[in-house]
Amino acid sequence: MSKNLVSQEIIDEFSVAIGKEKVSIDKPTRTCYSITHGPEFLLHDNYFDYFLPDAVLRPSCAEDVQNIVRIAGKCEIPLVPSGGRSGSSGAEGMRGGIVVDMCRMTKILELDEKNYRITGEAGVRMVDLVSYLKKRGYMAIDWPASDEIATLGSRAAINGYNWWENRWGSAGTIIQGIEVVLPDGNIVQLGRGGNRPTKSAIGWNLMDLFIGSRGTLGIITKVTEMFTDFPSILVSRGAAFHTVKEGIEAYLDLKKSKYSNTVWRVVASVSEHMSFPITVGKSWPDEIAMMVNYDLYGEPSEVEGMVKCAQEILKNHNGFTRPEMSEMVSWYSSHMSEWKGIKEGMNIELGLASHLFGDRIKTEGYSARPVFLDPNIPDSSLLAYYSELQKLLATIEDGKTYPNLAECVKVYDHGAIIPGVRGFNKMWVVLHVYRKSMNKESRKEFIEWFKKHIELILRFGGAISTTHGWLPRELEVEFIKKIMGEKEYELMKKIKNLIDPKNIMNPKIIF
Amino acid sequence: MKKYGVLSLKEYEKQLENCVSCYCGLCNKNCPAYTELKDAAVSPRGLSEVALAIIQGKYEISELSNEILYSCTGCRACEWYCTENIFIDVKTRKTRVSGATVTEILRSMKVESGTIHPKVRDALNNIAKYGNPYGGLPKSKDDWVSNLGIKTDNIDTILYVGSLVPYEDSAKIMAEAVIEVMKKAQIKFAMLGSEEMDSGTSARVMGEEGLFEEMVEYNLEVFKRNKIKHIICISPHDYDTFINYYEDMAGIEIKHYTQILWELIDSGRIKFNKELNKKITYHDSCYLGRRNDIYDEPRKILESIPGIELVEMEFSRGTAYCCGGGGTGLWIDLPKVDIDLKRADQINEVNVQCVAVACSICSIMLSAAMDSRDYDIEVIDIAQLVKESYC
């Protein structure tokens, strides 16, 4: 099982082409690429061997990437492009394949202040991009929760979820240009604006073919994103609701397109049930079913006007605040909305998993693993879906429907709702998986439950997402066909075959 | 012999599992080793996966490269960002998820396997033979203490200068500044001269557990014999070792010199009489700040000195970037690891005349980095600034 499938001769060829120091074949280094932050490894008892790549290459320029791809194409060696590996989207290594880690391509290449465009190499970390812009008075608008480790290239490759999606859309909307090394080794420049059509019927929008393609069509080496001036003020507010119905209706009204210039983010959440007792040491009042928080960004006059409007909307849906809630509301606002950084954001969510389920908080023992589901649900069926979702989530824990699964999975977040693409929402469902208790039976039940989960989403006109969610690999082809349609999937395959006829680009996923 | 602070991979397995179970990678943010090398195997989360694989028998310690073993500076930035360490007060090394702790364990396994880096071996031999990693003669330490006119007995408070003094110039200058200030403030203290050996910190970070234990036994005996009740440390590394690794200091109070100086300033025993007129930033020593929560005293001292304008860097206090000298950084110069240069760049960004430090290793690393970058920024110890305004 441990014998490499990629021969030493091929490794030597890579070493000559890009430099020996950029090639690692030692097992300890390869080990680190057998796993990502994605949950796929939970379904494999022997993930270590299953996902262990034969080599890791770290190109430092696009020319290196071209050389890698040409050799891989010639020898028909699978390539797995890798960014920060903080996503859920299939950056695990593969046996007999090579990981191309873009971490050494970290240059910010151009800041076009007049046109609000910034261009960087694929390995630029988002936190460095954010900091670079902030020092110059600008704000990055493609801002993922994992900004500390997510990279520009992977933002394009997974069409990443963006913190300010209600205002600016996903990473794919913000990205204006990409450079891609195709499987034949050629480089293409694709995008909108500049010498590419901004609004035109001259040519196809080829860039969007690669946005979210998860490394299956080529390796993205350069990305151009939009940014904005730093808004003058931020106001974060919220209100509580006695019923989920009132909360969701208020949320939907707040995220209406006519307000979205100022309303950058809205969250309708029940997760505080779990998180507040730990973070502020107080229990969440039982009679509160939902909390809706919002962030307003902009210039003082427009934000002040929107504050009044937003408060009116919440009030119309019987939203309320009470003095004893102020600490909780302000905690939420400062930690989750103002977005000071990872210490107050993703860390908290992930950290809670360690403590709420598992033994870590009691015995400093094993912690649990958060698994994000994040289906996309349309506005029109949000409330109905939410209700059905709760029934489905209850089956995880009831101990009867999935007796083995109940031993190792708990529902942490029953559905915080955040805006996605206009008209759609991310249902931020989080499970806590106690990995140490996972076994063959519980994994099987997990897959069974997951199928029901997807079917429910499809029934309500939604879609599964691996942007911030997850689709187990063994279900991928079956459900991509269901989500996209058989004919559409066949079209994808034709395009894949045209661009990557030898199927060397991340072949373990989608196809 | 009692085992001080020894931790095996097996004992640490839960934390390795916890890290691998999450594998979010937020620990990478300010990890100096990963930032420099961009090699997942030196990243904190990568180290956890590597260590777990060793436990599972996937490969041997001998297969780990020098980069994997010796790149970590022990700065513990990984612990600061780690999601597994949020909310709960996991203070012990055994229960905190930490790439630095993994490295310590791997290094000790490497030493046990009998094959160690030649520079580490030389430093360890010097510690065993002379009590300091430089191989400096003990007599020169006695002569230095004697020339300063410091008593070596009959006082229950000692100034513990550490094994870099007087063998390394900037460490010696720093120690002399502390001594001069304390003398002027009429603090009664003694020094142990050559009786004072390495606290064990060097042996510890190099993975030589056996030698570390010998140093602990030796030092505790010296402290007991001299009836020591208070120890003032010059080096944050010694301070950290006494506090976090000795396990039982038999009631001896340990303080870093910045804590003592602030107490003297705060109580009015030190009154400054000269304006320094300098724009300064403070570089947090990882072993003082992140490892022991001493962030405020150095800043309060600087702010109390007339004419000093203190500005903060983007990465300061808990998020401060390491100077690169922690761990084995002072002894092993790994190719492509220029942690000190990155910190020098961060210091340069805030447009200051001076960067104040409270650690001689930081002073050594950053002085060299300023020269390499050709930045006109003076690296100066806090004690020297106090001395300049007070003495």
Side-chain angles (χ1 to χ4, degrees), chain B residues 1-8 11 93 108 112 124 127 198-205 207-221 241 245-247:
Chain B
M1 183 180 282
K2 185 177 174 183
K3 297 275 187 185
Y4 292 94
V6 177
L7 204 54
S8 69
E11 287 173 291
R93 287 185 309 119
S108 67
E112 272 179 29
L124 289 172
I127 295 167
D198 191 294
S199 62
T201 181
S202 307
R204 190 76 188 72
V205 297
E208 187 24 305
E209 301 284 1
L211 181 58
F212 172 72
E213 285 155 15
E214 283 179 30
M215 306 304 287
V216 175
E217 296 282 0
Y218 169 85
N219 283 318
L220 287 175
E221 173 56 31
T241 302
Y245 292 87
Y246 267 51
E247 295 179 7

Side-chain angles (χ1 to χ4, degrees), chain A residues 99-392:
Chain A
V99 168
V100 184
D101 187 343
M102 304 301 283
C103 61
R104 289 188 183 171
M105 292 182 62
T106 58
K107 292 189 201 82
I108 290 176
L109 300 166
E110 189 187 355
L111 177 70
D112 180 353
E113 295 182 77
K114 288 190 176 164
N115 298 306
Y116 293 91
R117 298 284 188 279
I118 184 165
T119 302
E121 290 182 323
V124 171
R125 289 185 312 177
M126 297 312 290
V127 69
D128 296 327
L129 188 89
V130 167
S131 171
Y132 180 91
L133 287 170
K134 192 176 176 185
K135 282 175 186 168
R136 290 156 180 82
Y138 301 115
M139 185 176 188
I141 49 179
D142 178 20
W143 205 333
S146 57
D147 67 344
E148 311 285 14
I149 184 165
T151 60
L152 260 180
S154 55
R155 296 295 291 158
I158 67 160
N159 190 7
Y161 165 70
N162 172 37
W163 193 255
W164 313 120
E165 206 147 310
N166 199 50
R167 169 66 181 89
W168 297 102
S170 67
T173 319
I174 296 163
I175 291 167
Q176 298 296 297
I178 55 173
E179 177 184 88
V180 188
V181 174
L182 297 173
D184 62 6
N186 287 318
I187 288 191
V188 289
Q189 311 288 337
L190 308 168
R192 316 174 181 105
N195 59 346
R196 318 286 154 202
T198 306
K199 181 181 179 303
S200 172
I202 285 174
W204 293 0
N205 178 2
L206 288 174
M207 183 178 80
D208 278 355
L209 197 55
F210 291 84
I211 299 292
S213 64
R214 297 160 65 190
T216 54
L217 294 177
I219 299 181
I220 295 165
T221 47
K222 195 164 80 176
V223 176
T224 299
E225 284 199 345
M226 292 190 291
F227 59 87
T228 187
D229 293 312
F230 224 97
S232 296
I233 56 167
L234 157 70
V235 171
S236 293
R237 296 272 170 85
F241 297 84
H242 289 300
T243 66
V244 168
K245 182 174 182 293
E246 288 170 333
I248 289 180
E249 285 172 349
Y251 158 87
L252 288 170
D253 274 359
L254 258 179
K255 64 167 272 224
K256 278 188 170 171
S257 63
K258 62 181 173 181
Y259 304 131
S260 63
N261 270 2
T262 317
V263 181
W264 283 27
R265 184 171 173 83
V266 196
V267 183
S269 178
V270 291
S271 63
E272 288 80 356
H273 280 114
M274 302 290 278
S275 58
F276 278 110
I278 283 188
T279 52
V280 296
K282 287 185 181 177
S283 296
W284 189 241
D286 285 341
E287 78 273 22
I288 295 175
M290 184 158 265
M291 177 91 186
V292 174
N293 291 82
Y294 59 87
D295 295 349
L296 309 178
Y297 268 111
E299 297 311 298
S301 58
E302 55 190 10
V303 169
E304 280 160 20
M306 190 61 218
V307 167
K308 285 180 195 161
C309 179
Q311 291 301 94
E312 195 63 29
I313 288 169
L314 298 178
K315 204 173 150 190
N316 287 344
H317 293 284
N318 300 320
F320 63 95
T321 57
R322 291 201 305 247
E324 69 268 27
M325 284 169 53
S326 62
E327 191 181 1
M328 297 177 190
V329 172
S330 65
W331 178 90
Y332 188 89
S333 297
S334 65
H335 285 77
M336 300 304 289
S337 302
E338 195 176 333
W339 196 243
K340 291 174 183 171
I342 217 72
K343 286 291 282 182
E344 293 91 354
M346 189 170 168
N347 267 20
I348 287 173
E349 293 299 337
L350 294 176
L352 282 168
S354 309
H355 317 313
L356 293 174
F357 185 40
D359 302 329
R360 189 153 169 75
I361 198 164
K362 299 175 210 146
T363 65
E364 296 178 330
Y366 292 115
S367 62
R369 171 70 155 81
V371 173
F372 303 92
L373 302 181
D374 281 28
N376 290 320
I377 306 295
D379 288 354
S380 54
S381 56
L382 191 57
L383 192 56
Y385 168 78
Y386 192 90
S387 170
E388 290 300 310
L389 171 67
Q390 301 316 309
K391 292 176 196 165
L392 183 65

Side-chain angles (χ1 to χ4, degrees), chain A residues 460-480:
Chain A
F460 284 91
I464 193 81
S465 157
T466 58
T467 291
H468 192 261
W470 174 52
L471 180 56
R473 211 163 284 177
E474 67 176 275
L475 300 179
E476 235 177 3
V477 173
E478 177 187 348
F479 281 96
I480 287 176

Side-chain angles (χ1 to χ4, degrees), chain A residues 31-32 34 37 47 58 84 104 125 135 148 343 347 351 354-355 360 364-367 369 435-436, chain B residues 15 17-18 21-23 26 29 37-39 45 49 59 80-81 83-86 90 95 349:
Chain A
T31 299
C32 305
S34 63
H37 181 53
Y47 78 88
R58 298 184 199 84
R104 289 188 183 171
R125 289 185 312 177
K135 282 175 186 168
E148 311 285 14
K343 286 291 282 182
N347 267 20
S354 309
H355 317 313
R360 189 153 169 75
E364 296 178 330
Y366 292 115
S367 62
R369 171 70 155 81
R435 186 168 75 100
K436 295 296 287 182
Chain B
Q15 310 321 327
E17 286 277 4
N18 287 340
S21 181
C22 175
Y23 220 66
L26 302 184
K29 186 193 173 186
L37 288 168
K38 299 291 184 192
D39 179 345
R45 70 173 173 177
E49 178 72 337
Y59 41 78
W80 177 263
Y81 289 99
T83 59
E84 297 286 326
N85 296 331
I86 299 277
V90 263
T95 54
E349 275 183 11

